[in-house]
Amino acid sequence: MTTNPPGQAFPNKTRVAILAELEKERRRLMQSQSMNTPGASISLARPSVKDFRDNAEQQHIAAQQKAALQHAHAHSSGFFITQDSSFGNLILPVLPRLEPES
């Protein structure tokens, strides 16, 4: 087992992995913060091409969800909501919870 120089708790590879994970988390938090505050679109960091692509993709998905929801409400007697689904569904049906008869 190799020893690290004094004051260095992690090997360089581990340090790089930790820094990359922290950067990814920082970007995710900045993106979610900008989505939650509509008027605060001033960014401290210069957006990358990937950020523009991700934002365009999210707007496209939001438009698809809206269209799917409007279509479902117009052509069905059920009730639907928009919800992220691990199966790729844009909308999900809502089933009423019926109370058991006493």
Side-chain angles (χ1 to χ4, degrees):
M1 182 172 167
T2 62
T3 60
N4 295 325
Q8 186 175 357
F10 300 104
N12 284 336
K13 287 182 181 179
T14 305
R15 182 180 295 231
V16 169
I18 291 170
L19 290 174
E21 186 65 32
L22 286 172
E23 178 66 18
K24 189 187 314 182
E25 183 68 15
R26 183 187 69 83
R27 286 184 184 186
R28 187 187 64 77
L29 289 172
M30 285 180 65
Q31 185 178 18
S32 67
Q33 181 183 12
S34 67
M35 289 173 52
N36 291 337
T37 54
S41 61
I42 300 172
S43 176
L44 300 177
R46 184 174 174 207
S48 67
V49 174
K50 182 183 180 304
D51 292 336
F52 283 122
R53 185 179 56 217
D54 290 346
N55 189 21
E57 185 176 312
Q58 288 174 348
Q59 288 178 352
H60 179 67
I61 290 172
Q64 284 181 324
Q65 279 182 329
K66 184 177 180 181
L69 189 62
Q70 289 173 343
H71 180 79
H73 282 152
H75 296 87
S76 174
S77 61
F79 185 76
F80 298 86
I81 60 168
T82 57
Q83 177 73 32
D84 289 336
S85 167
S86 56
F87 298 104
N89 299 322
L90 297 176
I91 61 173
L92 298 173
V94 177
L95 303 174
R97 183 176 294 175
L98 301 175
E99 297 295 325
E101 294 184 20
S102 306

